[in-house]
Amino acid sequence: MKESTLADLTSTEDSSLSKLVSLLADLSTLVQQRIPKELGYSGGVNVYGEKQLEIDVWSNELFTKKLLRSGLVRRVASEEMEDVAESKSGEYSVVLDPLDGSSNLKSNNLLGTIVGVYHDKSLPAKGRDLLAAMYFLYGPFLQLVLALKDGVRLSAAAGTGVGSRRFVSDGQIHKLPRPPTVYGIGGLRDKWTPTVRQFVEGLEKRKLSLRYGGSFVGDYNQVLARGGFFAYPELIDAPQGKYRLQFESNPLAFITEKAGGRASMGTGNILDVEPTSIVQRVPTYLGDPDLVQDFQTLYRSKGQAA
Ligand code: AFP
């Protein structure tokens, strides 16, 4: 089968979006090279009070500055920044988790960069308005999962080019495999609600294998590759869960729906959640459409509020 390049994958999109994807891919190769060199703590904390690694700060600055100076991006919101950063020109708004899973760096776990792209929307924005979403997975190989209007395609930085030109793909549309085979649920088990506990028992009765590594992109990617269910649910002591709607849940929900799955926050679709703030969190249940539908039905039957 002929290998496709990133340019091939984005050929049906506006050239400006193609340029933006290429820039992001260039930057991901810089992050991949930098990760092993930046294992120290920056001494800072982000707006959520989470300790920032030097690599968190470095990667946030890399993406934010390069995007705002590209002439393509008007505004950037990032998990690592309190406010939206703006430029004077550009047709896109970008939401970003520059290095998801960075607290797992010491254990050499999977890390990722999550990106959502809107066409000139103010931020925070509604997930349903996303134009594209993607994540870069820094694993045994650097992978790009790219969701555009016509679907999801997978590519790997495995070619002979430099930067974004390293990415090659089979160019095929990827759908969540069925039947589902793996699941992962975040949070401490003793903080799960009875509904989540009951649902997990059902998954185990269906012989789904547990896969949980503490990195959203890494854990989710196993569901995308093998079919299954992933959640960071509402917890007894955190009814909105942990994931940020703008930077984590919306982009992954967009990818999930484009891959033929469902993405719920309990009572409805994540992408339909009205944005109220940049830091808004949302319970997140993603993956196989039947499993997510089953969860949503169970959740509603328990009369739990959104
Ligand atoms: P960090 O980016 O601070 O490592 O957080 C990663 C994350 O937001 C997400 O990637 C994981 O799924 C989740 O946290 C893990 O949370 P727990 O440590 O509570 O399992």
Side-chain angles (χ1 to χ4, degrees):
M1 182 178 293
K2 176 184 169 301
E3 275 184 352
S4 300
T5 64
L6 277 191
D8 297 329
L9 301 191
T10 57
S11 59
T12 56
E13 300 289 336
D14 290 351
S15 62
S16 54
L17 183 60
S18 182
K19 285 190 190 116
L20 178 56
V21 172
S22 176
L23 171 59
L24 289 161
D26 278 338
L27 298 177
S28 76
T29 64
L30 300 181
V31 173
Q32 185 192 37
Q33 292 161 20
R34 183 79 177 213
I35 285 172
K37 301 174 187 135
E38 288 287 338
L39 294 174
Y41 280 97
S42 69
V45 291
N46 65 14
V47 65
Y48 308 96
E50 295 160 342
K51 229 190 287 186
Q52 283 182 313
L53 285 166
E54 283 165 5
I55 187 78
D56 281 325
V57 176
W58 180 86
S59 53
N60 183 63
E61 284 178 10
L62 175 75
F63 281 104
T64 304
K65 280 186 181 148
K66 293 286 188 183
L67 289 172
L68 293 175
R69 291 176 184 167
S70 68
L72 297 165
V73 177
R74 179 83 175 72
R75 55 186 74 79
V76 174
S78 163
E79 186 182 300
E80 300 299 337
M81 295 191 302
E82 200 160 340
D83 301 309
V84 178
E86 306 224 354
S87 71
K88 296 198 180 342
S89 65
E91 61 183 294
Y92 298 110
S93 299
V94 171
V95 292
L96 183 66
D97 184 353
L99 202 61
D100 173 71
S102 57
S103 63
N104 297 295
L105 198 53
K106 291 266 187 225
S107 52
N108 196 18
N109 262 32
L110 295 173
L111 304 172
T113 295
I114 303 172
V115 185
V117 182
Y118 296 91
H119 197 270
D120 200 19
K121 291 279 182 190
S122 62
L123 298 175
K126 193 170 182 179
R128 194 59 70 192
D129 294 331
L130 276 164
L131 188 64
M134 68 201 84
Y135 58 78
F136 296 91
L137 179 57
Y138 306 104
F141 61 89
L142 172 54
Q143 181 179 19
L144 167 59
V145 173
L146 176 62
L148 300 171
K149 56 178 174 291
D150 65 343
V152 176
R153 291 182 180 84
L154 313 180
S155 60
T160 55
V162 175
S164 58
R165 288 180 178 74
R166 285 179 54 202
F167 286 86
V168 290
S169 169
D170 63 7
Q172 302 304 302
I173 291 287
H174 179 81
K175 293 291 185 187
L176 278 165
R178 306 180 87 173
T181 58
V182 296
Y183 81 94
I185 312 282
L188 293 175
R189 191 173 281 267
D190 69 353
K191 300 293 187 195
W192 291 353
T193 62
T195 302
V196 169
R197 285 173 184 277
Q198 181 180 336
F199 188 74
V200 170
E201 282 163 19
L203 295 178
E204 291 178 344
K205 284 198 183 92
R206 294 176 61 144
K207 307 295 182 207
L208 270 73
S209 303
L210 171 62
R211 290 288 184 276
Y212 193 79
S215 154
F216 186 16
V217 172
D219 290 328
Y220 174 83
N221 202 54
Q222 298 194 62
V223 168
L224 187 72
R226 300 181 59 188
F229 179 89
F230 186 78
Y232 204 104
E234 72 170 275
L235 300 174
I236 291 169
D237 58 350
Q240 294 310 312
K242 178 173 186 179
Y243 291 163
R244 279 57 53 146
L245 175 65
Q246 294 297 309
F247 313 117
E248 295 163 305
S249 301
N250 269 339
L252 273 285
F254 182 88
I255 292 169
T256 303
E257 289 198 4
K258 289 293 181 185
R262 284 181 69 97
S264 172
M265 39 64 80
T267 55
N269 295 324
I270 287 173
L271 293 179
D272 297 324
V273 172
E274 283 302 328
T276 56
S277 85
I278 283 286
V279 297
Q280 173 181 11
R281 297 177 194 258
V282 65
T284 299
Y285 311 92
L286 308 165
D288 180 87
D290 294 340
L291 288 179
V292 176
Q293 183 59 56
D294 290 349
F295 176 80
Q296 200 161 277
T297 303
L298 177 65
Y299 190 90
R300 285 173 167 168
S301 72
K302 302 286 186 181
Q304 284 169 282

